Amino acid sequence: MRIVSVTAVAGACALLAACGQGGGSAPTSAEPGAEPAATPAAAAPAPQASPEEVQALLASLPAPYNTADLENGRRKFGMCRSCHTIVEGGANLTGPNLHGVFGRKAGALEGYNYSEVVKNAGFVWDAEHLDKWLAEPRTFLPGTKMSFAGLKNEKDRIDLIAYLKVETGYRP
Ligand code: HEC
């Protein structure tokens, strides 16, 4: 940015022939480094928790989730992203939108066509159920149409579940 404006001033100098004297009064019309005032609003207006709120929420979770590695959880969610959105009002893809999943009855998101076994699972999603589900979905609920082999590493599951808690609107 600095280089660009120097070039601009040099160009002006060639025309004005009065340069090098009142150096402080360069024209200020062009501001090549200026940022656009605001980025366009995202499709879904999701109010983002501040980093402090995220940390406070993480710390409020029961062990072992309170010491989870959210960055690792975010990376692990990369395995789910092709089938699931997590923002409020996000679309159902191959799998249902997961916003608000904690505290929601399994198979209960309106407008999503679940398999019978998930629809009739009869429990409410919490960390314990999610841990078993994510370890091996097809053993936990045989007949599910979620074709995900499972996340075998326990620590990865802890990190992913904590990430989901802070990103899906969970409140203690
Ligand atoms: C290949 C697509 C696919 C992938 C990958 C996938 N899912 Fe799913 N998921 C589904 C489908 C399909 C269902 C609905 C299952 C059913 O009805 O049997 C589902 C259901 C769920 C549910 C139950 C939601 C409810 O409303 O009851 C949860 C929770 C879930 N998935 C979490 C995850 C997480 C976390 C990951 C990543 C580790 C993941 N899924 C990876 C397709 C996928």
Side-chain angles (χ1 to χ4, degrees), residues 79-80 82-84 94-96 98 101 104 106-107 112 114-115 118 125 130 133-134 144-148 160 164:
M79 296 183 298
C80 328
S82 59
C83 295
H84 291 286
T94 305
L98 294 180
V101 71
R104 185 163 86 202
Y112 182 81
Y114 293 92
S115 66
V118 171
W125 285 115
L130 209 60
W133 168 249
L134 294 179
T144 177
K145 61 175 183 170
M146 170 154 138
S147 41
F148 174 70
L160 174 57
L164 287 172

